[in-house]
Amino acid sequence: MDRTDPLAGTLPLSVGQEGLWLLHTLHPQSTTYNLAGGGRITPAPDLAALDRAWRALLTRHPMLRSRYTEVAGRPRRVVDAPEEAAQIAVVEVPDATEEELRRRVNAEVRAPFRLRDEGAVRATLLLRRTDALLVVVTHHIATDAISQWLLWRDLFAAYEAEIAGSAPDWRPISHDYDEFVGRERTLLDSPRGTGQGEFWRAECEGSTPAELPTDRPRPAVSSHTGASLVRRLPDALAQAVTKAAAERHVSPFALMVGAFQAMLHRCTGQSDFLIACPASTRRAAAADIIGYFVNPVLIRARFDRETTLRDAVDAAADRVRQATARVSYPFPLVAQGASGPLFRISVTMVATDRFGHGMDGLVAGEKVALAGHELAYVEIPHLEGQCDLALEITRDAHGLTVALRYDTDLFEEATAQRLFDQFQRCVTAAVEAPDTRVARVPLTDDTERDLLLALSGGQA
């Protein structure tokens, strides 16, 4: 090690990680960027085997044993040895009720990270007499949605191998996160990077972020707290979305983005607005790497009185394609110099069938076999309060699940429920009547219309 180099022994961060580090230093007690997942294991796991599996996981993925600091005024990453990283904390709660488990899980998720001292990962096993709940919480600076699933996939594989007395059946990892950081720096120094920056500046010019009417005044300083409303779309509608998207040569995601933008246009009255889509920057070489491979890209929408749902979906598909082609340009650089936030609402879609190891079944809440145990993945609300409203669509082998995450400083739960219903009506109309003008799409059902008419003194 070069003792004269203050950066020796540390690694650079990606631009996105640097942005998250800055937010963490400004708000060290915030849990807005905590991600979480849980696995209920019945009967309880072999603790020694689980501990060895966790250590094997940490050895495989350096990002899970990294801490964050500043050296010479620059944010840097320090990778600890596997034995120095956080291990699974076992908490015995032999007679805990489901309600008590929920409280303990919420406490884990809402505890802030000390990224300098403890790193960005913690795991807790809540051990009851007949089963156990393993809760893993990570900070977004170290993981993204795909990384969360890689973590669980590799941990399960390692545990099965430990029980069988064999080595985990893992694909070798021949690349690392630092290669991604290097490619990003190369892009920013190139003419291609300059062109992408110009595209994003033009995309923002003359537009404003979509902004829904709020139930309460926007506070001067956000508390970054939120809640989630999670529902599955009806199976028939999920199938119809896939079929209609194929017939129109667009992705199911583009179809739902167009429907979501149509709903926002109706609810806000804005005719030109921006929303964000957290997109993956992974390449094939990083398929098995845990890290922060996310970059928000902006999706612009324009509406007039004649815009149909078909128009909205086609435009959304085009903007998604344009944005995806330029996903590598870091959003923090796009936002530099902006007078205010470039987006307040986001939408994203995750397909779980890419992960393997039965992960699609786990998302659906089904139990799968794990080395003589039954395992059920437990959805834990997280990433709440990052923006006013975030629509997250999960596609698994059984259909589509929609999570609507909303800022509780601004919205009541009833408003989130109404927005979900309106989104579902717009998706239904986009599938069944795509040539309907957006201005004519009914956002209420007959009962709600009758009530509104009665309240306004009209006739039902």
Short mmCIF file of all heavy atoms in Angstrom, two decimals, residues 244-245 247-248 255 262 306-314 425-438 441:
data_model
loop_
_atom_site.label_atom_id
_atom_site.label_comp_id
_atom_site.label_asym_id
_atom_site.label_seq_id
_atom_site.Cartn_x
_atom_site.Cartn_y
_atom_site.Cartn_z
N ALA A 244 -52.34 -6.71 -25.12
CA ALA A 244 -52.48 -5.44 -25.84
C ALA A 244 -51.12 -4.84 -26.17
O ALA A 244 -50.91 -4.30 -27.27
CB ALA A 244 -53.31 -4.46 -25.01
N ALA A 245 -50.18 -4.93 -25.26
CA ALA A 245 -48.84 -4.39 -25.51
C ALA A 245 -48.18 -5.12 -26.68
O ALA A 245 -47.56 -4.48 -27.55
CB ALA A 245 -47.99 -4.50 -24.25
N GLU A 247 -49.65 -6.65 -29.17
CA GLU A 247 -50.34 -6.30 -30.41
C GLU A 247 -49.94 -4.93 -30.91
O GLU A 247 -49.92 -4.68 -32.13
CB GLU A 247 -51.86 -6.35 -30.19
CG GLU A 247 -52.40 -7.77 -29.98
CD GLU A 247 -53.86 -7.78 -29.58
OE1 GLU A 247 -54.39 -6.67 -29.23
OE2 GLU A 247 -54.49 -8.85 -29.59
N ARG A 248 -49.59 -4.02 -30.00
CA ARG A 248 -49.24 -2.65 -30.39
C ARG A 248 -47.73 -2.44 -30.49
O ARG A 248 -47.27 -1.32 -30.71
CB ARG A 248 -49.83 -1.66 -29.37
CG ARG A 248 -51.37 -1.73 -29.34
CD ARG A 248 -51.94 -0.86 -28.25
NE ARG A 248 -53.27 -1.31 -27.87
CZ ARG A 248 -53.98 -0.81 -26.86
NH1 ARG A 248 -53.47 0.16 -26.13
NH2 ARG A 248 -55.18 -1.29 -26.58
N LEU A 255 -47.00 0.75 -21.86
CA LEU A 255 -48.46 0.90 -21.84
C LEU A 255 -48.92 1.46 -20.50
O LEU A 255 -49.76 2.39 -20.46
CB LEU A 255 -49.12 -0.46 -22.11
CG LEU A 255 -50.64 -0.43 -22.34
CD1 LEU A 255 -51.06 -1.54 -23.30
CD2 LEU A 255 -51.41 -0.57 -21.02
N ALA A 262 -51.52 9.65 -18.36
CA ALA A 262 -52.88 10.13 -18.64
C ALA A 262 -53.61 10.46 -17.35
O ALA A 262 -54.30 11.48 -17.24
CB ALA A 262 -53.63 9.08 -19.44
N GLU A 306 -57.09 16.71 -27.74
CA GLU A 306 -57.35 15.64 -28.69
C GLU A 306 -56.53 14.38 -28.43
O GLU A 306 -56.71 13.36 -29.11
CB GLU A 306 -57.06 16.13 -30.11
CG GLU A 306 -57.88 17.34 -30.52
CD GLU A 306 -59.38 17.08 -30.42
OE1 GLU A 306 -59.82 15.98 -30.84
OE2 GLU A 306 -60.11 17.96 -29.92
N THR A 307 -55.63 14.41 -27.46
CA THR A 307 -54.76 13.26 -27.20
C THR A 307 -55.58 12.06 -26.76
O THR A 307 -56.40 12.14 -25.85
CB THR A 307 -53.73 13.60 -26.11
OG1 THR A 307 -52.97 14.74 -26.50
CG2 THR A 307 -52.79 12.43 -25.88
N THR A 308 -55.36 10.93 -27.43
CA THR A 308 -56.03 9.68 -27.05
C THR A 308 -55.11 8.84 -26.19
O THR A 308 -53.90 9.10 -26.08
CB THR A 308 -56.43 8.87 -28.29
OG1 THR A 308 -55.22 8.43 -28.95
CG2 THR A 308 -57.28 9.69 -29.25
N LEU A 309 -55.68 7.80 -25.60
CA LEU A 309 -54.86 6.88 -24.82
C LEU A 309 -53.83 6.19 -25.71
O LEU A 309 -52.70 5.94 -25.28
CB LEU A 309 -55.75 5.85 -24.13
CG LEU A 309 -56.55 6.38 -22.94
CD1 LEU A 309 -57.64 5.40 -22.56
CD2 LEU A 309 -55.64 6.65 -21.74
N ARG A 310 -54.20 5.90 -26.95
CA ARG A 310 -53.23 5.30 -27.87
C ARG A 310 -52.06 6.26 -28.10
O ARG A 310 -50.89 5.86 -28.11
CB ARG A 310 -53.91 4.96 -29.20
CG ARG A 310 -53.00 4.17 -30.16
CD ARG A 310 -53.68 3.99 -31.51
NE ARG A 310 -54.94 3.28 -31.42
CZ ARG A 310 -55.04 1.95 -31.37
NH1 ARG A 310 -53.95 1.19 -31.38
NH2 ARG A 310 -56.23 1.38 -31.30
N ASP A 311 -52.38 7.54 -28.27
CA ASP A 311 -51.33 8.55 -28.44
C ASP A 311 -50.42 8.59 -27.22
O ASP A 311 -49.19 8.66 -27.34
CB ASP A 311 -51.93 9.94 -28.64
CG ASP A 311 -52.76 10.06 -29.91
OD1 ASP A 311 -52.47 9.34 -30.88
OD2 ASP A 311 -53.68 10.90 -29.93
N ALA A 312 -51.02 8.55 -26.04
CA ALA A 312 -50.25 8.63 -24.79
C ALA A 312 -49.32 7.44 -24.65
O ALA A 312 -48.16 7.59 -24.26
CB ALA A 312 -51.19 8.72 -23.59
N VAL A 313 -49.82 6.25 -24.98
CA VAL A 313 -49.00 5.04 -24.88
C VAL A 313 -47.88 5.06 -25.90
O VAL A 313 -46.72 4.75 -25.59
CB VAL A 313 -49.87 3.79 -25.04
CG1 VAL A 313 -49.00 2.53 -25.21
CG2 VAL A 313 -50.80 3.63 -23.84
N ASP A 314 -48.18 5.45 -27.14
CA ASP A 314 -47.15 5.51 -28.18
C ASP A 314 -46.06 6.52 -27.80
O ASP A 314 -44.86 6.27 -27.99
CB ASP A 314 -47.76 5.88 -29.53
CG ASP A 314 -48.59 4.74 -30.12
OD1 ASP A 314 -48.45 3.60 -29.64
OD2 ASP A 314 -49.37 5.00 -31.05
N ARG A 425 -58.28 2.33 -13.66
CA ARG A 425 -59.27 2.64 -14.69
C ARG A 425 -58.60 3.12 -15.97
O ARG A 425 -59.06 2.80 -17.08
CB ARG A 425 -60.24 3.70 -14.16
CG ARG A 425 -61.16 3.16 -13.06
CD ARG A 425 -62.24 4.16 -12.66
NE ARG A 425 -63.04 3.61 -11.59
CZ ARG A 425 -62.98 4.00 -10.32
NH1 ARG A 425 -62.16 4.99 -9.98
NH2 ARG A 425 -63.73 3.43 -9.41
N CYS A 426 -57.53 3.88 -15.84
CA CYS A 426 -56.82 4.34 -17.04
C CYS A 426 -56.14 3.18 -17.75
O CYS A 426 -56.12 3.13 -18.99
CB CYS A 426 -55.80 5.42 -16.66
SG CYS A 426 -56.53 7.04 -16.31
N VAL A 427 -55.57 2.25 -16.99
CA VAL A 427 -54.96 1.07 -17.61
C VAL A 427 -56.03 0.25 -18.33
O VAL A 427 -55.84 -0.19 -19.47
CB VAL A 427 -54.25 0.20 -16.55
CG1 VAL A 427 -53.80 -1.13 -17.16
CG2 VAL A 427 -53.06 0.94 -15.97
N THR A 428 -57.17 0.06 -17.68
CA THR A 428 -58.27 -0.70 -18.31
C THR A 428 -58.72 -0.03 -19.59
O THR A 428 -58.91 -0.69 -20.62
CB THR A 428 -59.45 -0.82 -17.32
OG1 THR A 428 -59.00 -1.48 -16.13
CG2 THR A 428 -60.59 -1.62 -17.94
N ALA A 429 -58.87 1.29 -19.56
CA ALA A 429 -59.32 2.01 -20.76
C ALA A 429 -58.26 1.94 -21.85
O ALA A 429 -58.58 1.81 -23.04
CB ALA A 429 -59.61 3.47 -20.40
N ALA A 430 -56.97 2.01 -21.48
CA ALA A 430 -55.90 1.94 -22.47
C ALA A 430 -55.89 0.60 -23.18
O ALA A 430 -55.50 0.50 -24.35
CB ALA A 430 -54.55 2.19 -21.81
N VAL A 431 -56.33 -0.45 -22.49
CA VAL A 431 -56.39 -1.78 -23.08
C VAL A 431 -57.66 -1.98 -23.89
O VAL A 431 -57.63 -2.47 -25.02
CB VAL A 431 -56.30 -2.85 -21.96
CG1 VAL A 431 -56.65 -4.23 -22.51
CG2 VAL A 431 -54.92 -2.85 -21.34
N GLU A 432 -58.81 -1.56 -23.32
CA GLU A 432 -60.10 -1.86 -23.93
C GLU A 432 -60.58 -0.81 -24.92
O GLU A 432 -61.30 -1.14 -25.87
CB GLU A 432 -61.15 -2.02 -22.82
CG GLU A 432 -60.88 -3.19 -21.87
CD GLU A 432 -61.92 -3.30 -20.78
OE1 GLU A 432 -62.77 -2.37 -20.66
OE2 GLU A 432 -61.89 -4.30 -20.03
N ALA A 433 -60.20 0.44 -24.72
CA ALA A 433 -60.68 1.53 -25.59
C ALA A 433 -59.56 2.52 -25.85
O ALA A 433 -59.63 3.68 -25.44
CB ALA A 433 -61.88 2.22 -24.95
N PRO A 434 -58.49 2.09 -26.55
CA PRO A 434 -57.31 2.95 -26.69
C PRO A 434 -57.54 4.23 -27.48
O PRO A 434 -56.76 5.17 -27.36
CB PRO A 434 -56.31 2.04 -27.41
CG PRO A 434 -57.16 1.03 -28.11
CD PRO A 434 -58.32 0.79 -27.21
N ASP A 435 -58.60 4.29 -28.29
CA ASP A 435 -58.84 5.49 -29.09
C ASP A 435 -59.71 6.51 -28.36
O ASP A 435 -60.08 7.54 -28.93
CB ASP A 435 -59.47 5.11 -30.42
CG ASP A 435 -58.50 4.31 -31.30
OD1 ASP A 435 -57.32 4.71 -31.36
OD2 ASP A 435 -58.90 3.28 -31.86
N THR A 436 -60.00 6.25 -27.09
CA THR A 436 -60.72 7.23 -26.27
C THR A 436 -59.81 8.42 -25.98
O THR A 436 -58.63 8.25 -25.66
CB THR A 436 -61.15 6.60 -24.94
OG1 THR A 436 -61.94 5.45 -25.20
CG2 THR A 436 -61.93 7.59 -24.09
N ARG A 437 -60.36 9.62 -26.13
CA ARG A 437 -59.58 10.79 -25.75
C ARG A 437 -59.34 10.77 -24.24
O ARG A 437 -60.24 10.43 -23.47
CB ARG A 437 -60.28 12.08 -26.15
CG ARG A 437 -60.22 12.37 -27.65
CD ARG A 437 -60.79 13.73 -27.96
NE ARG A 437 -62.23 13.79 -27.68
CZ ARG A 437 -62.95 14.90 -27.65
NH1 ARG A 437 -62.36 16.08 -27.85
NH2 ARG A 437 -64.23 14.86 -27.41
N VAL A 438 -58.14 11.15 -23.83
CA VAL A 438 -57.79 11.13 -22.41
C VAL A 438 -58.76 11.97 -21.60
O VAL A 438 -59.14 11.62 -20.49
CB VAL A 438 -56.34 11.61 -22.21
CG1 VAL A 438 -56.02 11.80 -20.73
CG2 VAL A 438 -55.36 10.62 -22.85
N VAL A 441 -61.87 9.90 -20.48
CA VAL A 441 -61.75 8.66 -19.70
C VAL A 441 -62.41 8.85 -18.34
O VAL A 441 -62.06 9.78 -17.60
CB VAL A 441 -60.27 8.26 -19.50
CG1 VAL A 441 -60.17 7.03 -18.61
CG2 VAL A 441 -59.61 8.01 -20.84
#
